[in-house]
Amino acid sequence: MTQQELTLRNLGQSLDDLANLDPRGYGVCKILYDASRKYTGGPTSMNAARKLAQTIKEGDIVYIMTGFVLRPYKKAEMDGIVSAALLCRALVLAFGAKPVIICPRANYEAVRQLDPCVGLHLREDMQELREIPVSMGVICFTDDAALAPKQADKIIARDHPSAVISVECPGANDRGVYHNATGLDVTELEAKQDVLFEKLQSMGVLNIAIGDLGNEIGMGAIRDTLERYIPYAAPGACRCGCGGGIAVHTKADNIITATVSDWGCYAMIAALAYLKENPGIMHTPELEQKALETACHSGMIDMYGWLIPAIDGFGEEINLPIVALMRNLVISALKLKTTCATWFEKVEALHYFDEH
């Protein structure tokens, strides 16, 4: 094992560990992570970042799907949309890519306000997006199941993306029902984006899904674990009477699970910053705070319904330090690459990581 391979493995694990901190203490993140890491075969954030680095080229379109609308408020939650905007910034810095957020109409105002927050120009016309530097796009996806396939086909016919990434994006179970975290039916509220995700996946497009429970696009990859250990996930365990559970049908090729989906996305961004040897790709705590406040002021709500700059109940006092730690891990790993070379050689010579 080379020094670079060892760093990718252990830095990736540290980023995954930060994304799976458990402030609540009920262990769901551990259950999901054990399954997602086994599915991936290594640290999930670094795996996804490496796939992006191997795939995306300058000018490539990348779709970022997000937007979970909560009942009874009929407003979209903070989780997903904040990291989606910051991921747009990262993809522009890392590759000169053309990221496009695909979301329900309920997220549109947040996207509109977040684009200047992350320093990008927002375009709804995809031709303009291609022509204008440092820009991002937005497409509002339908919540009508009958119209979703036609819109998906239209999007695909217009642009063929290099990758599709879903972050806290709701997915349907085998019966076509979308559920919230407590097993209630939210089908009528949600954009039917899994239709587009599966079409792109069937075309061989690189696909990455990020989730924190199992009711998000792509998490069907660890369905056995969801149905066995996650509340409301087993067939018939939901509270809506559909006979299914919250576990989704879609199975992404690459998944990241985290305590909060945004944290999983941040771990991937940090891993990408290391691979590109540019710590600036990973945003600062100050930008995180600005993005949280901007999303809140645009009408996004915390998971518990509060109109505050918090994600899944976690405020700035937790989100900002996590971002700072991830960013500084990258800075340290790059800075100490030469300084610690001798120690890497000695560790490698004893073959622990070849055997474990």
Side-chain angles (χ1 to χ4, degrees):
M1 184 176 291
T2 67
Q3 177 177 341
Q4 175 71 350
E5 289 170 340
L6 190 57
T7 301
L8 294 179
R9 172 173 171 169
N10 291 323
L11 176 61
Q13 189 63 59
S14 294
L15 293 170
D16 282 8
D17 290 344
L18 284 172
N20 285 277
L21 292 176
D22 191 4
R24 302 185 189 99
Y26 60 35
V28 167
C29 52
K30 175 174 173 50
I31 295 168
L32 297 177
Y33 183 69
D34 285 350
S36 62
R37 195 185 189 289
K38 182 178 180 181
Y39 178 77
T40 302
T44 60
S45 58
M46 190 62 73
N47 168 71
R50 294 178 80 173
K51 296 288 180 65
L52 291 174
Q54 293 162 4
T55 303
I56 301 175
K57 302 181 298 299
E58 184 175 2
D60 282 0
I61 296 288
V62 179
Y63 291 150
I64 303 170
M65 298 180 175
T66 194
F68 216 122
V69 182
L70 304 184
R71 57 177 294 180
Y73 312 98
K74 297 185 178 180
K75 289 178 174 285
E77 68 167 318
M78 295 274 286
D79 193 17
I81 192 62
V82 177
S83 65
L86 292 161
L87 177 57
C88 286
R89 172 187 177 274
L91 293 174
V92 172
L93 286 170
F95 307 107
K98 298 293 184 177
V100 179
I101 292 180
I102 302 179
C103 61
R105 177 62 60 179
N107 283 106
Y108 176 80
E109 183 60 23
V111 175
R112 192 184 69 80
Q113 293 195 33
L114 280 164
D115 74 282
C117 173
V118 298
L120 303 178
H121 300 274
L122 185 65
R123 288 293 180 268
E124 296 182 49
D125 183 289
M126 294 300 107
Q127 185 57 41
E128 290 184 3
L129 173 68
R130 289 186 177 279
E131 295 171 354
I132 297 175
V134 292
S135 59
M136 59 183 278
V138 61
I139 297 172
C140 292
F141 204 83
T142 183
D143 59 9
D144 188 328
L147 298 178
K150 184 179 293 187
Q151 185 180 10
D153 289 339
K154 182 179 178 181
I155 291 171
I156 291 170
R158 182 175 56 200
D159 289 296
H160 192 291
S162 290
V164 56
I165 305 164
S166 67
V167 188
E168 188 65 16
C169 193
N173 67 6
D174 286 342
R175 298 168 186 253
V177 179
Y178 297 73
H179 293 88
N180 67 8
T182 62
L184 296 176
D185 186 346
V186 291
T187 304
E188 67 174 321
L189 298 177
E190 309 303 342
K192 309 305 184 286
Q193 298 184 63
D194 38 4
V195 174
L196 176 58
F197 188 93
E198 288 192 289
K199 284 179 178 287
L200 292 169
Q201 184 180 29
S202 70
M203 294 167 59
V205 174
L206 171 64
N207 58 92
I208 298 167
I210 304 172
D212 59 24
L213 187 63
N215 57 343
E216 308 93 354
I217 285 176
M219 293 300 111
I222 53 171
R223 183 168 175 168
D224 289 347
T225 294
L226 299 178
E227 292 184 348
R228 185 172 183 182
Y229 296 114
I230 301 302
Y232 308 113
C238 68
R239 299 165 61 201
C240 75
C242 74
I246 69 171
V248 299
H249 169 73
T250 48
K251 300 178 180 180
D253 296 330
N254 303 278
I255 63 173
I256 295 173
T257 61
T259 304
V260 174
S261 292
D262 276 351
W263 298 357
C265 189
Y266 297 161
M268 181 180 72
I269 293 171
L272 186 58
Y274 177 79
L275 292 173
K276 302 297 285 187
E277 297 188 349
N278 179 3
I281 290 170
M282 179 63 188
H283 59 287
T284 63
E286 291 77 16
L287 183 51
E288 171 75 5
Q289 181 176 28
K290 184 178 179 182
L292 287 171
E293 292 173 353
T294 299
C296 174
H297 294 156
S298 70
M300 302 297 94
I301 60 175
D302 180 41
M303 181 177 70
Y304 300 107
W306 290 90
L307 282 162
I308 57 174
I311 303 175
D312 287 0
F314 303 122
E316 296 172 350
E317 69 281 358
I318 290 183
N319 285 289
L320 271 58
I322 285 176
V323 168
L325 283 168
M326 288 182 178
R327 192 170 193 272
N328 281 297
L329 281 176
V330 173
I331 292 170
S332 293
L334 290 171
K335 182 180 179 180
L336 298 174
K337 184 181 295 188
T338 301
T339 303
C340 294
T342 300
W343 268 98
F344 274 101
E345 292 172 3
K346 292 183 178 298
V347 170
E348 291 162 19
L350 299 175
H351 302 294
Y352 175 88
F353 289 101
D354 294 324
E355 301 168 2
H356 295 80

